[in-house]
Amino acid sequence: VKLTDFAKRHQHDIQNDPVFRHRFLQMCGPLGVDPLASQKTVLGKLLGMGDFYHELAVKIAEVCLANKSRNGGIMSIKEIQGILKQRKTRLGMASQQTDVSVSDIQVAIQKLGKLGGGFRTVQVGKSTMVVSVPTELDNDHMEVMEVANKMGGVTLDQVMNSTGWNRPRAERALELLLQEGMAWLDEHNGVSYYWFTSLWQEK
């Protein structure tokens, strides 16, 4: 009852302030309350948070799909946030543009992940990236992307030098990233460079 009273008092802040919304979700967790679960609950009806995150998940999926041919299905969470802001996205009961935080995007991606299709977040260095393809990225692929994150693009030799791997292991990791469209290949003076457009955007 106290939580419902709190939600009523701060309904506007929960719906419009991404920082307040994140703190409210954190407060609900230890109490075993999921305000996203159903519109049939008192909190669900009051806040419309289930609808908010459902709509946000759809918008994120649209952004990822629209950019898949460019980045192979991996892009930074901040790039997605920027695109949603450019589009002046409105969500839930909001009558005007909704400010969407990184935390909001992460919650929505968790909802998307439960539906399948490969949606998840991965950490590449200090960057949080959203993966929207079912391809399994193992530790080798993540390590290659971390090396690329520092340099923008990498050569086979740079991967081998940074990781201490042998040539076949480095080639295997780069080849999958190339096949999936997450990396682009550029030949310059007889040297192959692998570029990651998703990491350019993060820079």
Side-chain angles (χ1 to χ4, degrees):
V1 177
K2 287 183 179 177
L3 185 64
T4 305
D5 289 342
F6 178 87
K8 283 178 182 173
R9 280 200 311 276
H10 298 282
Q11 182 178 357
H12 181 268
D13 290 327
I14 292 168
Q15 289 174 341
N16 295 283
D17 182 341
V19 175
F20 200 98
R21 184 164 52 245
H22 178 61
R23 287 181 184 156
F24 178 72
L25 283 176
Q26 285 182 318
M27 189 171 71
C28 289
L31 301 173
V33 176
D34 183 1
L36 314 183
S38 173
Q39 278 291 78
K40 294 174 185 174
T41 64
V42 175
L43 278 178
K45 286 177 184 173
L46 177 68
L47 301 173
M49 287 182 80
D51 285 348
F52 172 90
Y53 283 106
H54 173 75
E55 288 176 35
L56 179 56
V58 170
K59 300 285 185 191
I60 291 168
E62 286 173 357
V63 169
C64 290
L65 190 62
N67 288 275
K68 190 175 174 184
S69 62
R70 174 176 62 81
N71 58 34
I74 184 166
M75 61 194 302
S76 80
I77 210 164
K78 288 189 176 175
E79 185 185 358
I80 292 172
Q81 184 186 30
I83 291 170
L84 292 172
K85 190 170 184 177
Q86 282 176 355
R87 291 183 176 182
K88 297 183 167 51
T89 302
R90 290 186 327 194
L91 298 161
M93 301 181 197
S95 58
Q96 55 191 16
Q97 179 178 339
T98 308
D99 286 332
V100 175
S101 69
V102 165
S103 297
D104 287 331
I105 294 171
Q106 287 173 321
V107 170
I109 287 165
Q110 285 172 0
K111 288 175 75 72
L112 275 171
K114 290 174 185 174
L115 300 174
F119 279 91
R120 62 207 182 277
T121 57
V122 295
Q123 204 64 29
V124 177
K126 295 180 181 177
S127 304
T128 304
M129 311 297 285
V130 177
V131 180
S132 57
V133 289
T135 305
E136 281 301 319
L137 298 176
D138 63 23
N139 290 337
D140 283 8
H141 304 125
M142 300 311 300
E143 206 161 335
V144 167
M145 290 184 70
E146 287 206 26
V147 175
N149 197 25
K150 293 170 193 164
M151 306 177 183
V154 288
T155 64
L156 179 62
D157 286 344
Q158 285 171 334
V159 171
M160 290 164 60
N161 292 336
S162 295
T163 60
W165 297 344
N166 60 24
R167 183 171 293 272
R169 183 176 177 182
E171 284 176 341
R172 239 187 342 263
L174 284 166
E175 195 56 37
L176 179 123
L177 293 166
L178 197 60
Q179 283 173 1
E180 292 297 323
M182 294 178 185
W184 289 5
L185 183 62
D186 180 36
E187 301 281 346
H188 184 65
N189 291 335
V191 180
S192 298
Y193 290 88
Y194 298 82
W195 301 99
F196 295 79
T197 60
S198 52
L199 299 175
W200 292 348
Q201 295 295 328
E202 182 67 355
K203 297 293 181 192

